[in-house]
Every structure is written in C-alpha cells, then in structure tokens.
Amino acid sequence: MNVRAVEEAALDWVWAHRDRFALGEDALTADGQVNRTWKPLGELTRVCASVSLCTPPSDPVRARVSDLLDFAWRQTREGELFPLMQSLEPFATYPLEVYAAFASAGFRHSGYEASAAVVARTRGWRLTEQYPTRRLGVLEAERHSGIPPHGTVPQALDRTWLGGLPEPWTFERAAGYALTHVVFHVTDWGGRPEGVPPGLADYLLHWLPPWLDTCLEARMWDLGCELLAVAASLPRPPGPDALDEAWLRLAAAQDPSGAIPEEGVVQDAAGEHPVIDPYDFTDCYHSTLMGVFAAALTTARLRDADHAGQGVPG
C-alpha cells in the first residue's frame, strides 16, 4: 500500500487551496458562520500540528505543514483575534479549541491565555452543557492552553458512546464520528497511543476493521479516513491485512488533484477514474485533510515498526 502517495497528493491539494482556509470579514461578525470560517482554519491547524509532530524534520512534508501553520497563524493576526472572539462570545468553547491547536504547535498568545483562564474559573464555564465527546475536546484544549482542566478524562470518557463499549452492531455514522474524536482526544491526536485504556484498545482492535470496511463499502471516505487515523493511533494497530485493502480503496477514490471527496465517487464519461470538479471546497476539504492526517500517522507507525526491526513494509 502506498500510503505516502496518498499523503503527498492530498497535501498538495491543501497547499494549492490554502487561500480557501483564510478568514473572511465575517469571522468576527455576530451572524458569521463559524462552520465556514473558524472551523476550516482550526481543522487545518489541528492536522498540520499533528503531522508536524510525527514527521521527521528532514522530510519535505514537515516543511510544507510548517508553512501552512505559519499561514494559519497569520490569519488570526498572530493570535490577536482570539481575545476579540472571547469578548464577543465569552462562554463559547470553539475559540479555545481552535487556539489549543495552535498552542500544541508552539504558537501562543499570553494575553488570550490569561483572559481564557479567568473565564474557565467561572461556574458558567464549568457547567456549560456539552456532549461527552465535546467535553473531552474542551478538557484537551484547556490542557494545551495552560488552563487547569475542569474535569477528568476518565470521567468524561466513561460517558461517551465508545467508552461504554457498545454492541458493535449499533455502529452508525454519528457514532462513528463520535468514536473517532474520542480516540483523537485521549491520544492527543495520535501522539500518545497509550492514552487509550487497554480494554478500549482491545475492543477497537477487534471491531475497527469491520466498521472501516462498512464505511468504505458505502463510499464514506471522510469517515473512512478518520477510522484509518484511529487505527494508527491505537497502542497496537490492526495488522496490515486489515488495512491494506482500505488504503487501496481510498487511493482509488482520490482525485488526481489529490482531493478526496467526503462521500461517493463521480466518474468520468468512460467510467475510468473519479473526478473532483463537481465537488465544492466544502465537500472535500475536510476529507482531504483527514487523508493527510491518517496517512501521516500510518507512515509514522510503519516507520517506527521498521526501526524496531519488525520489517513492516511501507
């Protein structure tokens, strides 16, 4: 499986479309659409920060994601927009979650961290009602931002769908996205596989391959990429036999430009290969980022296994 080829092509697409991640004038307006402004920028930052941490300094990919991180930080005016966001929505958690992605890559704004810490000490912040998976993300954001977490990871994990070790046949789209983010949060986005408790790791080792196969059979490429990233985040990833076919399917769905559609495959008139032209940026940017993320984590695990003398092929 040529995981590296998927990563490089997807990253090329992200680089070519980096201006689409830029913040527009509506980023600080009361009626601005967060999902179209801060969310894409935060996802770009989160993926690039994680890829940077798991990629050797000599690798050209490392230089490319570093440049993207610099670009993203400039969009926030070197962090100056975060205090402004907080003044507009003091108890919104998404500004801190976006900021934490930057902080994990070494980009910090001391003024924002100080003001965020004040808000985090209020009862209003601690009692904000959230889905358990989201609460895990907020705890992670607090830790990266130098704020004492307002809860414990085990307690939040136990309240999630995945933390309860549900019947495997109850897996569906919403549960799939919830479980991937649970793993991302407890492993610090793939950087600490030991963050997955042993019982949960065994459960995922057994059931992740059939769930992944189900998603790819349904051509759910975005969720498939996230599940591949989960596989590379486990203390003991599934064997190559369980993942090689998945990467082949994903590579076949990837457009020659490097873009990966969120769902489905559009073929040309001859039915030979997918084309991405019918897809808008919003329909492929996240899945393409997740392709970069999953491939980078997988490449790192393959490299570590090879260095350990296990001879795992790339």
Side-chain angles (χ1 to χ4, degrees):
M1 55 178 176
N2 197 345
V3 178
R4 175 67 182 218
V6 173
E7 177 185 11
E8 291 178 345
L11 187 58
D12 284 345
W13 184 92
V14 172
W15 177 260
H17 294 79
R18 61 191 180 280
D19 288 345
R20 297 295 303 273
F21 292 92
L23 293 177
E25 295 181 356
D26 58 342
L28 290 176
T29 60
D31 58 348
Q33 297 185 35
V34 174
N35 285 343
R36 292 183 177 272
T37 56
W38 287 98
K39 185 173 182 285
L41 186 72
E43 290 165 341
L44 173 69
T45 303
R46 181 65 272 170
V47 166
C48 288
S50 298
V51 172
S52 178
L53 290 173
C54 71
T55 305
S58 59
D59 193 321
V61 166
R62 176 78 170 268
R64 177 61 62 87
V65 297
S66 294
D67 289 343
L68 285 169
L69 284 168
D70 289 336
F71 163 81
W73 186 239
R74 289 195 299 271
Q75 296 303 309
T76 72
R77 301 177 195 168
E78 286 71 41
E80 289 295 322
L81 292 188
F82 287 105
L84 293 175
M85 293 167 64
Q86 185 179 50
S87 68
L88 293 172
E89 298 184 82
F91 296 97
T93 61
Y94 75 87
L96 186 69
E97 292 172 271
V98 174
Y99 176 80
F102 283 107
S104 70
F107 296 86
R108 310 194 78 102
H109 189 283
S110 58
Y112 173 66
E113 291 188 10
S115 60
V118 172
V119 173
R121 289 197 293 269
T122 65
R123 291 188 298 274
W125 177 270
R126 296 195 305 271
L127 298 174
T128 298
E129 296 187 11
Q130 298 159 330
Y131 286 112
T133 303
R134 185 68 179 273
R135 187 166 293 275
L136 275 175
V138 174
L139 294 177
E140 178 195 32
E142 290 173 333
R143 180 175 60 83
H144 275 299
S145 304
I147 298 172
H150 69 284
T152 67
V153 169
Q155 183 181 36
L157 176 60
D158 286 345
R159 296 187 58 213
T160 65
W161 181 86
L162 180 62
L165 304 182
E167 298 84 355
W169 49 265
T170 62
F171 174 88
E172 39 78 40
R173 183 196 302 266
Y177 280 110
L179 85 84
T180 60
H181 283 72
V182 166
V183 175
F184 297 158
H185 294 322
V186 300
T187 64
D188 202 359
W189 292 81
R192 296 188 307 106
E194 67 276 10
V196 183
L200 186 55
D202 291 341
Y203 177 83
L204 285 170
L205 186 64
H206 188 74
W207 292 113
L208 186 63
W211 290 341
L212 175 61
D213 183 66
T214 297
C215 289
L216 297 181
E217 186 67 27
R219 300 188 298 187
M220 298 167 61
W221 310 117
D222 185 59
L223 183 52
C225 286
E226 292 201 9
L227 291 173
L228 282 168
V230 167
S233 302
L234 298 179
R236 183 162 63 95
D241 291 344
L243 301 179
D244 283 359
E245 179 63 26
W247 279 107
L248 289 173
R249 287 183 178 183
L250 184 62
Q254 187 175 32
D255 183 72
S257 69
I260 300 172
E262 285 196 0
E263 296 186 10
V265 174
V266 177
Q267 294 184 325
D268 60 18
E272 293 178 352
H273 61 76
V275 295
I276 204 66
D277 291 338
Y279 289 95
D280 184 74
F281 173 82
T282 57
D283 294 328
C284 63
Y285 87 85
H286 185 267
S287 41
T288 305
L289 281 175
M290 288 297 103
V292 174
F293 179 46
L297 291 181
T298 301
T299 299
R301 294 303 293 268
L302 292 170
R303 182 177 59 247
D304 292 344
D306 189 50
H307 289 170
Q310 298 178 27
V312 178

PDB file of all heavy atoms in Angstrom, residues 299-312:
ATOM      1  N   THR A 299       2.099   6.339   8.295  1.00  0.00           N
ATOM      2  CA  THR A 299       3.502   6.329   7.869  1.00  0.00           C
ATOM      3  C   THR A 299       4.430   6.342   9.076  1.00  0.00           C
ATOM      4  O   THR A 299       5.442   5.635   9.103  1.00  0.00           O
ATOM      5  CB  THR A 299       3.785   7.544   6.970  1.00  0.00           C
ATOM      6  OG1 THR A 299       2.965   7.471   5.802  1.00  0.00           O
ATOM      7  CG2 THR A 299       5.248   7.580   6.544  1.00  0.00           C
ATOM      8  N   ALA A 300       4.074   7.130  10.083  1.00  0.00           N
ATOM      9  CA  ALA A 300       4.901   7.192  11.285  1.00  0.00           C
ATOM     10  C   ALA A 300       4.921   5.847  12.012  1.00  0.00           C
ATOM     11  O   ALA A 300       5.978   5.402  12.485  1.00  0.00           O
ATOM     12  CB  ALA A 300       4.387   8.292  12.215  1.00  0.00           C
ATOM     13  N   ARG A 301       3.768   5.183  12.118  1.00  0.00           N
ATOM     14  CA  ARG A 301       3.728   3.890  12.789  1.00  0.00           C
ATOM     15  C   ARG A 301       4.496   2.840  12.002  1.00  0.00           C
ATOM     16  O   ARG A 301       5.192   1.985  12.579  1.00  0.00           O
ATOM     17  CB  ARG A 301       2.271   3.436  12.991  1.00  0.00           C
ATOM     18  CG  ARG A 301       1.474   4.301  13.941  1.00  0.00           C
ATOM     19  CD  ARG A 301       2.100   4.421  15.328  1.00  0.00           C
ATOM     20  NE  ARG A 301       2.111   3.200  16.074  1.00  0.00           N
ATOM     21  CZ  ARG A 301       1.138   2.816  16.923  1.00  0.00           C
ATOM     22  NH1 ARG A 301       0.077   3.582  17.079  1.00  0.00           N
ATOM     23  NH2 ARG A 301       1.243   1.693  17.591  1.00  0.00           N
ATOM     24  N   LEU A 302       4.387   2.864  10.674  1.00  0.00           N
ATOM     25  CA  LEU A 302       5.148   1.927   9.845  1.00  0.00           C
ATOM     26  C   LEU A 302       6.647   2.171  10.004  1.00  0.00           C
ATOM     27  O   LEU A 302       7.439   1.229  10.094  1.00  0.00           O
ATOM     28  CB  LEU A 302       4.751   2.073   8.372  1.00  0.00           C
ATOM     29  CG  LEU A 302       3.332   1.627   8.007  1.00  0.00           C
ATOM     30  CD1 LEU A 302       2.996   2.053   6.582  1.00  0.00           C
ATOM     31  CD2 LEU A 302       3.198   0.112   8.150  1.00  0.00           C
ATOM     32  N   ARG A 303       7.015   3.441  10.051  1.00  0.00           N
ATOM     33  CA  ARG A 303       8.434   3.782  10.211  1.00  0.00           C
ATOM     34  C   ARG A 303       8.949   3.325  11.576  1.00  0.00           C
ATOM     35  O   ARG A 303      10.042   2.752  11.683  1.00  0.00           O
ATOM     36  CB  ARG A 303       8.613   5.289  10.057  1.00  0.00           C
ATOM     37  CG  ARG A 303      10.070   5.757  10.151  1.00  0.00           C
ATOM     38  CD  ARG A 303      10.180   7.251   9.911  1.00  0.00           C
ATOM     39  NE  ARG A 303       9.406   8.025  10.865  1.00  0.00           N
ATOM     40  CZ  ARG A 303       8.333   8.749  10.550  1.00  0.00           C
ATOM     41  NH1 ARG A 303       7.908   8.786   9.307  1.00  0.00           N
ATOM     42  NH2 ARG A 303       7.688   9.422  11.490  1.00  0.00           N
ATOM     43  N   ASP A 304       8.156   3.537  12.617  1.00  0.00           N
ATOM     44  CA  ASP A 304       8.573   3.117  13.957  1.00  0.00           C
ATOM     45  C   ASP A 304       8.708   1.598  14.037  1.00  0.00           C
ATOM     46  O   ASP A 304       9.640   1.075  14.658  1.00  0.00           O
ATOM     47  CB  ASP A 304       7.564   3.602  14.993  1.00  0.00           C
ATOM     48  CG  ASP A 304       7.576   5.117  15.143  1.00  0.00           C
ATOM     49  OD1 ASP A 304       8.545   5.747  14.678  1.00  0.00           O
ATOM     50  OD2 ASP A 304       6.613   5.650  15.718  1.00  0.00           O
ATOM     51  N   ALA A 305       7.758   0.883  13.423  1.00  0.00           N
ATOM     52  CA  ALA A 305       7.813  -0.577  13.441  1.00  0.00           C
ATOM     53  C   ALA A 305       9.031  -1.076  12.672  1.00  0.00           C
ATOM     54  O   ALA A 305       9.702  -2.036  13.098  1.00  0.00           O
ATOM     55  CB  ALA A 305       6.537  -1.156  12.834  1.00  0.00           C
ATOM     56  N   ASP A 306       9.335  -0.430  11.565  1.00  0.00           N
ATOM     57  CA  ASP A 306      10.502  -0.840  10.780  1.00  0.00           C
ATOM     58  C   ASP A 306      11.794  -0.588  11.549  1.00  0.00           C
ATOM     59  O   ASP A 306      12.713  -1.409  11.554  1.00  0.00           O
ATOM     60  CB  ASP A 306      10.517  -0.073   9.460  1.00  0.00           C
ATOM     61  CG  ASP A 306      11.571  -0.612   8.495  1.00  0.00           C
ATOM     62  OD1 ASP A 306      11.606  -1.832   8.294  1.00  0.00           O
ATOM     63  OD2 ASP A 306      12.356   0.199   7.966  1.00  0.00           O
ATOM     64  N   HIS A 307      11.860   0.540  12.243  1.00  0.00           N
ATOM     65  CA  HIS A 307      13.039   0.868  13.044  1.00  0.00           C
ATOM     66  C   HIS A 307      13.193  -0.098  14.214  1.00  0.00           C
ATOM     67  O   HIS A 307      14.305  -0.341  14.696  1.00  0.00           O
ATOM     68  CB  HIS A 307      12.965   2.290  13.567  1.00  0.00           C
ATOM     69  CG  HIS A 307      13.158   3.315  12.484  1.00  0.00           C
ATOM     70  ND1 HIS A 307      12.924   4.662  12.686  1.00  0.00           N
ATOM     71  CD2 HIS A 307      13.543   3.193  11.177  1.00  0.00           C
ATOM     72  CE1 HIS A 307      13.171   5.322  11.560  1.00  0.00           C
ATOM     73  NE2 HIS A 307      13.544   4.459  10.646  1.00  0.00           N
ATOM     74  N   ALA A 308      12.063  -0.647  14.664  1.00  0.00           N
ATOM     75  CA  ALA A 308      12.115  -1.593  15.782  1.00  0.00           C
ATOM     76  C   ALA A 308      12.503  -2.994  15.303  1.00  0.00           C
ATOM     77  O   ALA A 308      12.553  -3.924  16.106  1.00  0.00           O
ATOM     78  CB  ALA A 308      10.755  -1.651  16.477  1.00  0.00           C
ATOM     79  N   GLY A 309      12.747  -3.130  14.007  1.00  0.00           N
ATOM     80  CA  GLY A 309      13.198  -4.411  13.478  1.00  0.00           C
ATOM     81  C   GLY A 309      12.112  -5.365  13.070  1.00  0.00           C
ATOM     82  O   GLY A 309      12.350  -6.542  12.862  1.00  0.00           O
ATOM     83  N   GLN A 310      10.880  -4.820  12.936  1.00  0.00           N
ATOM     84  CA  GLN A 310       9.780  -5.701  12.582  1.00  0.00           C
ATOM     85  C   GLN A 310       9.607  -5.825  11.074  1.00  0.00           C
ATOM     86  O   GLN A 310       8.821  -6.636  10.600  1.00  0.00           O
ATOM     87  CB  GLN A 310       8.481  -5.168  13.202  1.00  0.00           C
ATOM     88  CG  GLN A 310       8.540  -5.150  14.724  1.00  0.00           C
ATOM     89  CD  GLN A 310       7.270  -4.564  15.321  1.00  0.00           C
ATOM     90  OE1 GLN A 310       6.204  -4.629  14.715  1.00  0.00           O
ATOM     91  NE2 GLN A 310       7.378  -3.971  16.501  1.00  0.00           N
ATOM     92  N   GLY A 311      10.329  -4.978  10.335  1.00  0.00           N
ATOM     93  CA  GLY A 311      10.318  -5.113   8.884  1.00  0.00           C
ATOM     94  C   GLY A 311       8.958  -4.867   8.256  1.00  0.00           C
ATOM     95  O   GLY A 311       8.584  -5.497   7.282  1.00  0.00           O
ATOM     96  N   VAL A 312       8.179  -3.946   8.815  1.00  0.00           N
ATOM     97  CA  VAL A 312       6.857  -3.658   8.258  1.00  0.00           C
ATOM     98  C   VAL A 312       7.032  -2.861   6.980  1.00  0.00           C
ATOM     99  O   VAL A 312       7.704  -1.836   6.973  1.00  0.00           O
ATOM    100  CB  VAL A 312       6.009  -2.872   9.264  1.00  0.00           C
ATOM    101  CG1 VAL A 312       4.659  -2.529   8.671  1.00  0.00           C
ATOM    102  CG2 VAL A 312       5.842  -3.676  10.539  1.00  0.00           C
TER     103      VAL A 312
END
